[in-house]
Amino acid sequence: QVQLVQSGGGSVEAGGSVRLSCTASGYTFGRRCMGWFRQAPGKEREGVAFIGNDGSITYTDSVKGRFTISLDNAKDTLHLQINSLVPEDAAMYYCAADPALGSSDYCSVRLNSASYWGQGTQITVSS
C-alpha cells in the first residue's frame, strides 16, 4: 500500500520560512513525476512546484525565488522549502507523485490526476 505522509507547516509569520516534507512508503519517488500543490479557502487547487524524471524543475510564477523543491533520495522524502512567506501563501499544501515519466512541465499537468497524494499540511501566515 502506497502512502505519502506529510509533515511540517503550521503558523508562520510573514517573511518567515517553513519546510514541508513528504515521505513515501510502499513507493519510490525516484526519477518520476513528483510535486506540490496548494489550495486556499474558496480557491482552486494550484500547482506550486514540480520535478520531472529528467531532473527538471518547474515553479509557478508567484513562488519563484522563494520556494525550493528537492528530493532526498536516501530517505525517499520530497521537500518544499518556503522562504519569505507572504499572506497569499496561506493554504493547505499537498504533495503528489505518479509513476509517469516526463519533464517538470509535463508533470505539472500530469500530477493534477496523480496516483498518490499526501494527506495535506496547513500553512497559515500571520502578520
Side-chain angles (χ1 to χ4, degrees):
Q1 183 182 0
V2 175
Q3 280 191 310
L4 302 183
V5 179
Q6 295 180 222
S7 60
S11 181
V12 186
E13 286 190 359
S17 299
V18 65
R19 188 173 81 159
L20 305 182
S21 298
C22 174
T23 300
S25 63
Y27 182 82
T28 300
F29 283 112
R31 287 290 194 178
R32 294 177 282 190
C33 283
M34 65 194 88
W36 291 90
F37 291 80
R38 67 185 179 186
Q39 187 167 22
K43 294 188 177 181
E44 292 189 356
R45 187 177 64 197
E46 173 189 29
V48 173
F50 304 92
I51 299 177
N53 79 295
D54 57 355
S56 56
I57 292 176
T58 295
Y59 296 100
T60 192
D61 286 345
S62 62
V63 308
K64 287 179 180 177
R66 300 189 300 115
F67 286 27
T68 303
I69 186 173
S70 63
L71 175 65
D72 183 336
N73 275 300
K75 297 182 179 180
D76 228 351
T77 298
L78 184 67
H79 296 292
L80 185 68
Q81 178 68 38
I82 305 174
N83 298 326
S84 303
L85 275 155
V86 298
E88 292 73 27
D89 294 326
M92 185 72 81
Y93 284 73
Y94 300 90
C95 61
D98 194 274
L101 301 178
S103 69
S104 55
D105 285 343
Y106 167 80
C107 292
S108 69
V109 176
R110 179 69 180 87
L111 283 173
N112 281 290
S113 55
S115 296
Y116 310 115
W117 291 88
Q119 81 276 18
T121 302
Q122 182 72 43
I123 291 180
T124 57
V125 182
S126 58
S127 56

